[in-house]
Amino acid sequence: MRDLDETDLRIIELLAADARQPYSDIGDDVGLSGPAVSDRVKRLQDSGVLKRFTVDVDRSQLRAGVPVFVRLTVDSGMAGLRERVSSASAVEHLFVTADGELLFYGRAQADGVRDWLADLIGDADVREREVSVVDDMEWTPALGGVEFALTCAECGNTVDSEGETERLGGDVYHFCCPSCRSRFVERYERMEAGAE
Amino acid sequence: MRDLDETDLRIIELLAADARQPYSDIGDDVGLSGPAVSDRVKRLQDSGVLKRFTVDVDRSQLRAGVPVFVRLTVDSGMAGLRERVSSASAVEHLFVTADGELLFYGRAQADGVRDWLADLIGDADVREREVSVVDDMEWTPALGGVEFALTCAECGNTVDSEGETERLGGDVYHFCCPSCRSRFVERYERMEAGAE
DNA sequence: AATGAAAGGATTAAGCC
DNA sequence: GGCTTAATCCTTTCATT
């Protein structure tokens, strides 16, 4: 894997702010030509860092219903439940925790929250459920500044092309060396076993 | 406000899937010319339905740390806390509930979760806190099919240009008639007063 | 990674329904 | 008012260095 450098990160930042701006404008900002930016974007897409070009929609103007945050404690049937919730078009953000909770944000018809939830839960074994009305919501594609870099998940040092990679719980982590990797994996597994 | 029609919704859907595709391709799909699509996109942006063109980044490849979901029950100081959390670059999703909880998803250094949280909380009065490791996360810009329409938040009927609009908790709702509007507002306020 | 030529989109303006 | 077509301008892509 080729290293990501500051220029790549700046390009991502600019695309996050406006994904449809010309590559030549981005080039002006980072001191590259348009084609050079295009090449980098292609590489970023191939490596999976850039997942997709998309659009941020103010759904409150489009879909009926009250915005709610739902928390379910799931004893069994998580896989199917996750799929049902994920494919529900009223659900926009979804999180699965290591200790078996399914959290999601979506919009429910004001007079049908109970039925809506019952449909989603289906035959999954849900021990606890909690629904809150959401006042305010924010998703931030804008990337921060200085903390944003390809760093070792264990020690924070920069990861270069000699680095290692580990997939844990669906995410990819990078490490600068094998010892950082094994230390991190151990700690992660401990955290997962007995979450705070 | 001009009505949104099926074509607008389809355009949004296509842009959500690939925001950088040519307008003429979108036009082929919806049966319009490129310039017509361009016009509609401009209108959608002006009306605020399309908030921005952006990029979905796999941050797991970029930032160190364990993905965590944090839940804070806040007695006072929510406004400042919300701002601090929102501007933290490691925080990507944030929700504020009507009953004074602040929920967010971000990435913490594995060995510094406590300090990271303490910094974010600052002088806010937080009664309870809970941190969970996140196994799986999904954000869905893809819009569903049939449920996706400009509908009355109360009765589900289509809202036309005669419709009314109400802003509640930072979101905009649409109604087909004044009576739906007042019924919805009442129910919303009840939900907010005593959330489930 | 830059350059320059060729191809392909976007935007504008004029005209139609 | 919203659409289309045609012309212009700009962006992207590709071959070359």
Side-chain angles (χ1 to χ4, degrees), chain B residues 3 8 15 32 36 76 84 97 157:
Chain B
D3 305 11
D8 292 314
L15 285 175
L32 286 177
S76 68
R84 271 196 303 285
T97 70
N157 285 336

Side-chain angles (χ1 to χ4, degrees), chain B residues 138-150:
Chain B
E138 195 178 322
W139 170 68
T140 321
L143 306 166
V146 70
E147 305 87 336
F148 184 52
L150 189 58

